[in-house]
Amino acid sequence: MPLDLSTTELPSLENFVPGDNQAALAALLACREGQGPQFIYLWGPQGCGRTHLLRSLTPEQSARVPAYQPGVRLYTVDDVEELDAQQLEELFVLMNFVRSNPECRLVTAGASPVAAMKGLRADVASRLSWGLTFALEPLSSEDCIAEFTRLAAQRGIEITAQMDAWIEQNRPRDIKSLKDFLEKIDQYALSMKKKVTKPLITKLGRDDA
């Protein structure tokens, strides 16, 4: 049996590829150190890195909307536009606790600007706008392919220029899709005891289409 030596890199601010989002990353690095405004709101389309950033800040947080806890200084809430009425109430309570404790920070994220969220409670919307807001831009095609190649190298997979060219022409070029495709490539090659080659990538890409 082949040994599965592949590793999935955990999200961190250090391995986030910022692209055009350097200002947002700088604000989050400061936030992690308890500096800057208490509230940050991130928004952008799927694949822009919202979830990566939030998981980087609070890797041990499990609750969708965490409750305020004495001693905990950093909280995150993702996909604000998908919260139900109860969760919005929990977020409202958390926002008030954070605001009353200057050492605390709250980073939230959604798919659209606060003003474009339909049905969002006015009191929650106003609080989402209390601090900084960043519109996250997806990585360029070139940055996505470069990151795909870097992650593949971590797994011992050499991605040739011909492979890069095929992926760029035939696969979705957002980083999440490329990471998922890399996982599929790695697992298939391990199970079949095969080296990753362009024909292997091409076959998997077509089967996954």
Side-chain angles (χ1 to χ4, degrees):
M1 295 291 292
L3 293 176
D4 185 353
L5 300 179
S6 64
T7 58
T8 300
E9 190 175 61
L10 295 175
S12 72
L13 296 184
E14 285 68 29
N15 63 30
F16 177 73
V17 182
D20 292 330
N21 303 309
Q22 292 91 344
L25 178 59
L28 294 176
L29 286 166
C31 176
R32 187 176 63 181
E33 300 304 316
Q35 302 171 5
Q38 286 185 275
F39 294 85
I40 295 177
Y41 177 68
L42 311 172
W43 69 271
Q46 182 178 359
C48 69
R50 290 182 284 125
T51 299
H52 179 115
L53 290 170
L54 266 60
R55 289 179 178 172
S56 299
L57 292 170
T58 53
E60 297 180 357
Q61 179 182 299
S62 58
R64 179 73 180 276
V65 180
Y68 172 78
Q69 300 179 50
V72 177
R73 297 186 176 184
L74 183 55
Y75 304 85
T76 61
V77 178
D78 203 357
D79 299 318
V80 172
E81 71 280 357
E82 297 179 6
L83 299 180
D84 60 27
Q86 178 58 40
Q87 290 168 332
L88 285 173
E89 176 62 22
E90 293 168 355
L91 176 56
F92 176 75
V93 171
L94 175 63
M95 288 172 153
N96 290 335
F97 273 116
V98 170
R99 184 63 179 270
S100 63
N101 290 271
E103 75 281 3
C104 292
R105 301 291 183 274
L106 171 63
V107 181
T108 52
S112 63
V114 174
M117 289 188 199
K118 297 181 179 179
L120 185 65
R121 282 174 46 167
D123 51 7
V124 172
S126 66
R127 284 160 174 75
L128 288 173
S129 304
W130 272 348
L132 293 177
T133 295
F134 293 98
L136 298 180
E137 297 293 336
L139 289 178
S140 67
S141 175
E142 293 76 12
D143 284 341
C144 283
I145 294 298
E147 179 67 357
F148 176 87
T149 303
R150 183 188 74 82
L151 293 173
Q154 286 187 341
R155 297 169 179 252
I157 299 172
E158 180 183 359
I159 301 297
T160 66
Q162 292 77 15
M163 294 179 193
D164 273 345
W166 186 90
I167 291 168
E168 189 166 2
Q169 293 173 8
N170 295 277
R171 299 296 302 176
R173 291 188 296 278
D174 66 272
I175 195 61
K176 182 180 185 304
S177 296
L178 288 175
K179 284 181 178 179
D180 291 343
F181 187 48
L182 177 60
E183 183 69 24
K184 183 174 182 179
I185 291 169
D186 196 16
Q187 293 302 318
Y188 180 80
L190 284 167
S191 66
M192 300 301 292
K193 301 181 183 180
K194 290 184 176 182
K195 180 181 179 180
V196 176
T197 61
K198 182 184 174 184
L200 184 147
I201 286 179
T202 302
K203 177 184 183 303
L204 288 177
R206 288 173 177 167
D207 291 347
D208 197 38

